[in-house]
Amino acid sequence: QVQLVESGGGVVQPGRSLRLSCAASGITFSSYALHWVRQAPGKGLEWVAVISNDGTSKYYANSVKGRFTISRDKSKNTLYLQMTSLRPKDTAVYYCARDQGEATNILDFWGQGTLVTVSS
Amino acid sequence: DIKMTQSPSSLSASVGDRVTITCRASQNIFSYLNWYQQRPGKVPKLLIYSAYILQNEVPSRFSGSGSGTDFSLTISSLQPEDFATYYCQQTYTGTSFGGGTMVEIK
């Protein structure tokens, strides 16, 4: 069955960096665009970034543009989110999610999430 | 950027009630509208996409309607497992979510 398993979350000081990973199984990895979506504690969903199925196209929310980088490694069936210059407002559960297709932005399967806490 | 506004932000209802949640887009998004359910402490789950298409294995008591700027999600007979927060999402230009509607037990 489809599995998306995030890892790499933790507590980090403001201004530091962190890399999240999302290991995919049960899917043809190169057939789907993949997304990161975050949810601050007690708040709603905020889309963060998307990468196309072949990794050539990437788009970001304005709130993270220039600080976060999304990437994927087809040899490892893994999605990444490199986060730099972290701010307290970046504190959230970060979910990876599968696009329904190559670029629909319809998120049909979600991982369990990994918590990132930015605090001094 | 397209802003999505949901109403109400929360509601209380009883098992068996018919419940309708609305979502308004700040501009015409045609039918590029999806609905997600998030139960407490759980992961979001896709319910409906393209305004009215039920995702696989979603019960038929859920339905979606609307186009343009105004959309609605209806639960025809509320079940205990339906108490959750519901989010709309537009995918016409990039993507953005509404603020959510929490459905609580009356």
Side-chain angles (χ1 to χ4, degrees):
Chain A
Q1 73 277 24
V2 178
Q3 275 202 309
L4 298 173
V5 180
E6 301 93 336
S7 60
V11 180
V12 61
Q13 293 179 328
R16 304 297 290 260
S17 300
L18 202 62
R19 188 178 82 159
L20 305 183
S21 301
C22 172
S25 59
I27 66 172
T28 305
F29 189 73
S30 58
S31 294
Y32 299 93
L34 294 169
H35 300 252
W36 288 99
V37 178
R38 68 185 181 183
Q39 186 169 36
K43 302 296 185 182
L45 302 172
E46 180 188 14
W47 176 81
V48 173
V50 60
I51 185 167
S52 60
N53 63 307
D54 61 3
T56 58
S57 296
K58 305 173 185 182
Y59 300 94
Y60 300 91
N62 288 336
S63 58
V64 307
K65 200 173 294 183
R67 299 188 299 124
F68 290 10
T69 302
I70 190 171
S71 62
R72 61 194 294 163
D73 184 338
K74 63 181 180 181
S75 70
K76 297 182 179 178
N77 279 14
T78 300
L79 171 72
Y80 300 102
L81 185 68
Q82 179 69 47
M83 305 184 294
T84 64
S85 302
L86 282 162
R87 306 165 180 169
K89 280 190 176 182
D90 296 318
T91 294
V93 174
Y94 285 74
Y95 297 102
C96 66
R98 186 183 79 169
D99 196 290
Q100 193 181 58
E102 293 185 3
T104 69
N105 290 335
I106 299 168
L107 308 177
D108 68 351
F109 197 84
W110 299 57
Q112 291 300 309
T114 188
L115 176 62
V116 173
T117 303
V118 183
S119 173
S120 53
Chain B
D1 290 3
I2 299 175
K3 181 174 171 60
M4 307 301 294
T5 303
Q6 289 182 234
S7 60
S9 56
S10 66
L11 65 90
S12 295
S14 301
V15 172
D17 283 354
R18 180 182 181 88
V19 168
T20 297
I21 297 166
T22 64
C23 178
R24 175 164 287 177
S26 60
Q27 67 182 72
N28 187 354
I29 60 169
F30 300 90
S31 294
Y32 292 91
L33 191 283
N34 314 309
W35 290 97
Y36 298 84
Q37 176 194 63
Q38 186 176 31
R39 295 182 176 127
K42 300 297 186 183
V43 173
K45 171 188 171 183
L46 177 65
L47 291 179
I48 288 170
Y49 61 95
S50 299
Y52 67 91
I53 301 174
L54 227 56
Q55 174 67 343
N56 292 341
E57 301 182 0
V58 171
S60 59
R61 62 181 179 273
F62 290 93
S63 64
S65 65
S67 66
T69 60
D70 293 316
F71 301 85
S72 62
L73 171 70
T74 297
I75 309 171
S76 60
S77 178
L78 201 64
Q79 297 301 300
E81 60 268 30
D82 301 336
F83 292 96
T85 300
Y86 294 85
Y87 295 93
C88 62
Q89 176 210 22
Q90 69 80 19
T91 57
Y92 177 63
T93 301
T95 185
S96 51
F97 290 93
T101 296
M102 183 182 298
V103 177
E104 300 174 302
I105 300 173
K106 196 172 200 175

